[in-house]
Amino acid sequence: MPRYLPEPAYRHGTPEKTAVLLINLGTPEEPTAPAVRRYLKEFLSDPRVVEIPRPIWWLILNGIILRVRPRKSAEKYASIWTDEGSPLKVHVERQAKLLRGFLGQAGHQLLVDYAMRYGQPSIAATLARLKAAGCTRILLLPLYPQYAASTSATAIDVACSWLQSVRNQPELRSVRSFADHPGYIAALAASVREHWASSGQPGDSYRLIMSFHGLPRYTLDKGDPYHCECQKSGRLLAEALDLDAQRYQVCFQSRFGRAEWLQPYTAPTLRALGKQGVQRVDVICPGFPADCLETLEEIAIEGRAEFLRGGGKEFHYLPCLNDRDDWIRALADIAETQLRGWPTHAPQQAELELSALRAKALGAPS
């Protein structure tokens, strides 16, 4: 017999609510080797993330990776940690708060929360909390502009798994991706123009590097659309900035292991551009709506070192969209599009009281 989670207490006349749940990848709770080990074990145990046969991968993960990598990764996390905590968690929490306020100003009465696929707050726990708060309709909005099975799909997997444990299920909808959303592209373009205005217009010896998170090459061969959606976002951003093909380049970062990943790789590209005599590069990470280890350490610190080591002169890292007003407006537009048809305004008190009286008249318990 299936075992379901206990249902929260219910009273007739309680208004049904609608919620938006932002979902991001996750982060260790602190920049220490034990915390990073827990995080990496959950992350790298996901079969959506690593598609190597389980017995072989279990030996590699537990026998090598989790013995060596946590300490090195913890040092990197410590270099970008803030007084408020993990940059990723800080930014996502702010995005949820700002989105709640923006949707409220637009007349919507919604709950807006956030969760992490790996680590805390977990997707299952947050969904349970929203359900206990009276939410019968929940929109899942993974903060991955470009769809990948290892990001968007695994987040939805966990939400659906939680749904299987619930007796009285809420309605769920999900945003698949927003790689070509006009507001998203416009916010990226505006951030680049603002950077040019403050740091100077780029000269002839210039490249705008658009660095996306990498994936193994086999994901493209097996039909994952991620590579194509990254290329589309890059092309649309370049068009919005009036950049020709010689002035920008789409690259892929965060390669892990020895297998071939999507190319070109960001770090070697930066080093090669320096050797070729390119004087200035600006690097933006369109696939990351919030700054994190992969942007603040891998690009802003390691990427800078690669370019300067190659002979480049001027390196600029452009922050992620984070809590920009234009990005929050775009996020609200993405949510509103998917919320259509769902009530997003609280019913009047008289209507609730009438509903409760009708239920009691038909024999419902008080």
Side-chain angles (χ1 to χ4, degrees):
M1 293 291 291
R3 300 180 66 178
Y4 301 113
L5 297 171
E7 285 294 318
Y10 177 77
R11 293 181 60 187
H12 289 283
T14 301
E16 295 182 348
K17 300 174 184 177
T18 301
V20 177
L21 179 60
L22 303 181
I23 302 174
N24 212 310
L25 185 75
T27 176
E29 295 180 10
E30 55 186 9
T32 64
V36 172
R37 184 177 293 107
R38 290 192 298 271
Y39 170 72
L40 286 178
K41 184 171 185 178
E42 183 182 8
F43 174 42
L44 296 176
S45 296
D46 187 343
R48 286 277 199 182
V49 173
V50 180
E51 297 185 39
I52 296 174
R54 293 295 92 188
I56 297 174
W57 179 241
W58 188 93
L59 292 173
I60 296 173
L61 177 61
N62 292 278
I64 302 174
I65 295 174
L66 293 180
R67 293 175 181 266
V68 177
R69 191 165 182 182
R71 180 182 58 79
K72 295 180 180 179
S73 294
E75 293 174 356
K76 294 182 177 183
Y77 274 107
S79 71
I80 56 99
W81 212 259
T82 73
D83 292 340
E84 298 175 88
S86 164
L88 176 66
K89 189 171 183 179
V90 169
H91 287 305
V92 175
E93 189 171 9
R94 288 177 183 170
Q95 288 171 349
K97 182 178 180 180
L98 291 169
L99 179 60
R100 184 185 310 121
F102 193 92
L103 290 170
Q105 290 178 354
H108 302 287
Q109 292 182 307
L110 300 163
L111 294 183
V112 179
D113 211 332
Y114 75 97
M116 301 296 186
R117 171 60 184 89
Y118 313 102
Q120 302 300 322
S122 71
I123 294 173
T126 307
L127 286 170
R129 186 169 65 251
L130 291 173
K131 176 176 164 57
C135 294
T136 59
R137 300 166 296 269
I138 302 173
L139 172 65
L140 308 175
L141 207 171
L143 292 171
Y144 307 113
Q146 296 77 28
Y147 173 92
S150 57
T151 54
S152 308
T154 188
I156 303 305
D157 284 350
V158 173
C160 291
S161 179
W162 171 81
L163 207 62
Q164 292 177 6
S165 68
V166 175
R167 182 180 299 277
N168 186 12
Q169 296 178 336
E171 292 181 77
L172 291 188
R173 291 180 183 173
S174 63
V175 174
R176 181 184 182 279
S177 67
F178 48 91
D180 58 355
H181 187 274
Y184 159 68
I185 298 297
L188 291 171
S191 73
V192 177
R193 292 193 196 96
E194 290 171 12
H195 167 70
W196 287 347
S198 63
S199 300
Q201 292 292 325
D204 293 334
S205 184
Y206 170 83
R207 293 289 191 284
L208 176 65
I209 301 298
M210 305 175 189
S211 184
F212 294 83
H213 198 288
L215 289 179
R217 165 73 198 202
Y218 65 73
T219 60
L220 173 61
D221 298 333
K222 291 183 177 182
D224 199 305
Y226 178 75
H227 179 266
C228 299
E229 294 197 6
C230 290
Q231 295 290 344
K232 186 174 186 179
S233 295
R235 174 178 58 81
L236 291 174
L237 176 55
E239 290 174 357
L241 295 169
D242 294 322
L243 287 176
D244 58 38
Q246 288 71 43
R247 304 273 279 173
Y248 79 95
Q249 188 165 356
V250 170
C251 299
F252 298 91
Q253 64 182 88
S254 308
R255 182 187 177 194
F256 177 74
R258 297 181 179 179
E260 180 185 0
W261 280 42
L262 298 176
Q263 296 195 43
Y265 304 137
T266 299
T269 296
L270 289 170
R271 187 168 57 251
L273 288 174
K275 291 181 177 180
Q276 293 165 15
V278 174
Q279 298 294 299
R280 170 180 166 181
V281 295
D282 294 340
V283 184
I284 188 172
C285 298
F288 298 85
D291 271 309
C292 57
L293 181 72
E294 286 80 2
T295 63
L296 297 174
E297 198 279 334
E298 184 179 354
I299 297 299
I301 297 176
E302 293 184 8
R304 177 189 301 275
E306 290 286 351
F307 180 63
L308 298 180
R309 190 178 298 120
K313 302 300 182 185
E314 191 176 351
F315 178 98
H316 298 280
Y317 167 67
L318 280 64
C320 293
L321 294 175
N322 295 328
D323 57 359
R324 290 177 58 95
D325 288 345
D326 49 9
W327 161 235
I328 302 301
R329 286 197 299 271
L331 202 56
D333 185 62
I334 294 167
E336 285 181 309
T337 298
Q338 297 296 328
L339 288 167
R340 288 173 185 165
W342 275 358
T344 59
H345 301 83
Q348 297 296 320
Q349 185 61 34
E351 181 182 344
L352 294 174
E353 292 175 355
L354 179 59
S355 175
L357 289 172
R358 287 173 173 168
K360 291 177 183 178
L362 292 173
S366 301

